[in-house]
Amino acid sequence: MPETNWRYANESEVARIIYVNKMDRMGADFYRVVDQVKKVLGANALIMTLPVGIEDDFVGIIDLMEMKAWIWDESGDPLNYKITDIPAEYKDKAEEYREMMVETALDQDDDLMEKYLDGEQPSVDELKRCIRKGTINLDFFPTFCGSAFKNKGVQPMLNGVVDYLPSPTEVKPQPEVDMEGTATGEFAIVDIDKPFRALAFKIMDDRFGALTFIRIYSGTLNKGDTILNTFTGKTERIGRLVEMHADDRIELSGAQAGDIIAIVGMKNVQTGHTLCDPKNPATLEPMVFPEPVISIAVAPKDKGGSEKMGIAIGKMVQEDPSFRVETDEDSGETILKGMGELHLDIKVDILKRTHGIELEVGKPQVAYRETITKVTEDSYTHKKQSGGSGQFAKIDYIIEPAEPGSDYEFESKVTGGNVPREFWPAVEKGFKLSMDKGVLAGYPLLDIKITLLDGGFHAVDSSAVAFEIAAKAAYRQTIPKAGPQIIEPIMKVDVFTPDDHVGDVIGDLNRRRGMIKSQEAGITGVRIKANCPLSEMFGYIGDLRTMTSGRGQFSMEFSHYLPCPKNVADEVIKEAQERNAKK
């Protein structure tokens, strides 16, 4: 989505130009699109070209810098164009937009603006210098139009890339970090005489082998060099370097700072890894990828597909860092996580069509947990006598709720040796192992504190095993008395929506048992932050896009656990009982 990409580019402070494409299509309207750029994206579009004709009659563009028209003939050959004077019917409009372009550009230079106000027209070179400065400063965005499919208007746009966008030496240098991700204060300066630094930004698997696309920030790289991957700590020897032109490759013997190339056949390199000179190791600031917003469970329909699925998913994860895979510890399912339902639909389709793996697709179970609400003091005695040495262990203890997020705490207050110190770890272990299964629905128990107060032992029959068994039995005896309850994962949800859909989005989040934390107005819309139960968020992306005419976006991450409402807890317990009955 252009709106989402524009927002990401704003956050990264990336200079850019705008190309309004498909001017030969039915309904094309360059001026309406420019108006949308200003209103929807909040961007200052600096118009550099105007269309000549519309829809089927689109034949070329007017270059406002040179005040000339580029007109293509009917042959369909993109090189068959001529540069002419501006047609008479477009003269006034071209003059109007040229004046607007000049005035906006000269805001970058007070001296040139003063001369312009005194009646002196700036030269083309002076204008280009001002536009370049404003583009790099993100004050405006040069805007071109054309039809890329028919190569009409593409040439001036490419000239604009050269004239106005920053070279590698004109952007902020890439910071270096240590292995913990903390900035070192050093930078990868674009200089061929500096130590080699490069970032792997894309992995692609094709018929000739894995291609690792890299951007070289400093130094040089030659065929046969040995480089270090600071993420893995392993070195690799460079075999083949290629420059890619779509599917065509040009073999290279070397490359240098500022180049973007591909390396053939690298191992253990993933997107975001730093490649550097082994004698001068450094790590570049890693690429940041948005967290997945939706997940599904998949399983191969036949046993033979499991291995094929594992290999295929491994390749897909390497190629796409926004695609994640994990195994659900509770259900054993393979969970695919991605940026949206379409993203995951495509991944499933790739597994089916490209790799021939038929899948059963479902959704993962919500990772519910259990906890307790009451402080309960209790005692348990374990006795067993069946020939030979017996087993004896007695424990007196308190089980109580702990601070949220503390998971499990154990403390012994035994004095006088009634429970010898060497048996305390066995008691702790017995309780901890039991917590893997709650008493209500079998979900793990969280946020519990156990204090061992007293007990008893037998000089012959007591052992670590006896005390561990006593703790497990004590757990089963006491937890049902301690007010057990189901707790559910609460997610931090960050929703972006256009202004005119804020009410619908907030209302929908409230219906999903969400708690609105904040609203923050931005240039292109409103960011809403809320806490919502994970169980209510399945399918949310589809509903959000419906509410916002496809313009809404969201991300979410785990925050904490909270008690379920009674009706939800009852349903969770019922489903658990049904699953257990089937087993």
Side-chain angles (χ1 to χ4, degrees):
M1 291 177 61
E3 197 171 348
T4 304
N5 293 336
W6 193 267
R7 196 165 71 250
Y8 288 148
N10 283 342
E11 291 171 0
S12 300
E13 298 182 348
V14 175
R16 68 214 88 133
I17 63 176
I18 298 170
Y19 182 70
V20 181
N21 193 19
K22 302 180 181 178
M23 296 308 302
D24 54 345
R25 296 289 183 90
M26 185 178 293
D29 187 336
F30 174 71
Y31 303 98
R32 178 170 56 86
V33 172
V34 169
D35 189 53
Q36 288 177 332
V37 166
K38 294 175 180 176
K39 290 181 178 177
V40 177
L41 300 182
N44 185 8
L46 182 70
I47 296 176
M48 303 301 298
T49 62
L50 298 176
V52 177
I54 59 170
E55 300 181 355
D56 290 340
D57 295 327
F58 175 71
V59 293
I61 57 97
I62 296 169
D63 179 357
L64 297 180
M65 180 63 71
E66 302 286 350
M67 288 300 280
K68 292 289 184 179
W70 295 48
I71 305 298
W72 278 261
D73 63 22
E74 298 298 321
S75 68
D77 187 337
L79 298 180
N80 283 349
Y81 65 87
K82 58 184 177 179
I83 298 177
T84 68
D85 292 333
I86 298 172
E89 65 268 30
Y90 290 97
K91 196 80 174 175
D92 290 343
K93 180 165 280 193
E95 292 286 355
E96 176 191 348
Y97 277 91
R98 158 90 180 184
E99 186 177 343
M100 290 165 50
M101 182 264 286
V102 170
E103 290 178 357
T104 302
L106 294 187
D107 279 339
Q108 303 293 319
D109 190 310
D110 293 340
D111 292 339
L112 288 176
M113 177 60 85
E114 191 174 334
K115 291 179 182 178
Y116 177 71
L117 294 175
D118 289 338
E120 183 180 334
Q121 286 290 327
S123 68
V124 169
D125 287 342
E126 288 171 335
L127 271 179
K128 285 185 176 181
R129 175 168 53 80
C130 289
I131 294 173
R132 184 180 185 86
K133 179 182 176 184
T135 303
I136 294 173
N137 291 339
L138 307 181
D139 292 330
F140 47 72
F141 305 93
T143 301
F144 300 82
C145 64
S147 171
F149 179 67
K150 295 181 179 177
N151 269 312
K152 294 180 180 179
V154 173
Q155 296 87 343
M157 184 269 291
L158 292 176
N159 290 339
V161 170
V162 174
D163 291 337
Y164 308 128
L165 291 182
S167 76
T169 59
E170 292 176 300
V171 294
K172 295 177 183 177
Q174 183 77 342
E176 295 180 3
V177 299
D178 58 25
M179 296 310 291
E180 283 71 44
T182 306
T184 62
E186 299 292 325
F187 294 87
I189 307 296
V190 180
D191 185 342
I192 61 173
D193 296 324
K194 298 283 186 183
F196 174 68
R197 306 275 187 269
L199 191 70
F201 67 88
K202 178 181 175 66
I203 310 294
M204 188 172 80
D205 194 55
D206 73 0
R207 63 187 186 277
F208 298 111
L211 287 174
T212 302
F213 289 81
I214 67 168
R215 156 82 182 274
I216 302 177
Y217 283 91
S218 67
T220 59
L221 180 65
N222 296 300
K223 194 174 179 180
D225 284 355
T226 297
I227 59 174
L228 171 69
N229 181 339
T230 55
F231 186 87
T232 62
K234 296 180 179 179
T235 57
E236 287 195 50
R237 188 173 181 275
I238 300 299
R240 293 169 58 201
L241 303 176
V242 295
E243 186 176 59
M244 299 296 294
H245 293 274
D247 288 340
D248 296 330
R249 306 168 178 220
I250 299 174
E251 294 280 344
L252 301 174
S253 59
Q256 63 183 32
D259 287 346
I260 294 176
I261 62 166
I263 305 174
V264 181
M266 293 201 77
K267 301 173 183 176
N268 304 315
V269 177
Q270 293 186 4
T271 303
H273 287 187
T274 297
L275 308 176
C276 66
D277 181 355
K279 297 176 183 176
N280 295 279
T283 303
L284 299 176
E285 187 176 50
M287 299 166 71
V288 178
F289 301 104
E291 288 299 310
V293 297
I294 193 169
S295 55
I296 56 173
V298 297
K301 287 186 177 179
D302 55 83
K303 292 181 180 179
S306 294
E307 187 176 345
K308 284 174 65 179
M309 184 179 77
I311 295 170
I313 286 177
K315 290 181 179 179
M316 291 162 64
V317 168
Q318 275 195 315
E319 292 178 6
D320 183 355
S322 63
F323 175 57
R324 315 279 177 84
V325 180
E326 63 182 44
T327 301
D328 188 278
E329 293 180 3
D330 298 324
S331 64
E333 295 173 308
T334 298
I335 309 298
L336 307 185
K337 295 185 174 184
M339 300 311 301
E341 289 170 296
L342 178 60
H343 189 198
L344 293 181
D345 285 346
I346 291 170
K347 297 301 180 187
V348 170
D349 191 60
I350 289 172
L351 287 170
K352 288 180 178 178
R353 292 178 181 272
T354 305
H355 299 282
I357 304 166
E358 287 297 322
L359 296 173
E360 292 179 353
V361 181
K363 69 175 184 179
Q365 298 292 320
V366 175
Y368 291 103
R369 295 292 183 262
E370 299 182 23
T371 191
I372 58 172
T373 58
K374 298 177 183 176
V375 178
T376 307
E377 186 171 346
D378 211 343
S379 177
Y380 186 83
T381 303
H382 171 63
K383 292 181 182 178
K384 187 177 182 183
Q385 194 73 44
S386 56
S389 61
Q391 293 181 2
F392 179 85
K394 179 178 185 295
I395 52 174
D396 301 330
Y397 53 92
I398 294 176
I399 293 181
E400 59 188 308
E403 286 294 317
S406 59
D407 193 12
Y408 171 59
E409 296 178 34
F410 178 84
E411 181 183 5
S412 176
K413 292 185 177 179
V414 176
T415 57
N418 288 341
V419 178
R421 184 177 293 271
E422 64 264 28
F423 296 145
W424 295 358
V427 177
E428 179 180 2
K429 180 182 177 185
F431 278 114
K432 187 168 181 60
L433 290 175
S434 300
M435 286 175 57
D436 287 342
K437 193 168 185 180
V439 297
L440 293 176
Y443 290 105
L445 202 69
L446 292 182
D447 305 335
I448 180 174
K449 180 178 180 182
I450 297 172
T451 305
L452 182 62
L453 300 174
D454 203 354
F457 81 104
H458 188 278
V460 176
D461 293 345
S462 290
S463 64
V465 171
F467 276 95
E468 183 180 328
I469 293 171
K472 290 178 178 178
Y475 173 89
R476 293 192 297 270
Q477 170 183 288
T478 307
I479 294 299
K481 306 175 189 176
Q485 67 176 7
I486 302 289
I487 54 177
E488 62 182 345
I490 304 298
M491 312 301 286
K492 283 193 291 188
V493 180
D494 192 344
V495 185
F496 175 85
T497 175
D499 292 326
D500 46 351
H501 298 291
V502 172
D504 293 337
V505 170
I506 290 177
D508 183 68
L509 288 172
N510 287 332
R511 284 191 291 274
R512 294 173 186 270
R513 297 191 282 123
M515 180 175 291
I516 309 300
K517 293 294 185 182
S518 67
Q519 296 180 53
E520 180 183 328
I523 295 175
T524 61
V526 177
R527 174 169 274 170
I528 300 166
K529 295 187 177 181
N531 286 346
C532 294
L534 175 61
S535 61
E536 303 289 346
M537 295 305 292
F538 290 114
Y540 180 61
I541 188 63
D543 295 341
L544 177 63
R545 285 176 177 163
T546 300
M547 281 184 287
T548 60
S549 303
R551 294 170 61 195
Q553 291 289 314
F554 86 106
S555 63
M556 67 179 181
E557 61 179 301
F558 172 75
S559 177
H560 58 280
Y561 279 92
L562 279 182
C564 287
K566 186 175 185 306
N567 63 315
V568 176
D570 290 344
E571 186 64 29
V572 171
I573 293 170
K574 180 182 175 184
E575 288 179 0
Q577 291 172 342
E578 290 174 353
R579 283 199 306 270
N580 292 333
K582 289 178 182 178
K583 293 177 185 177

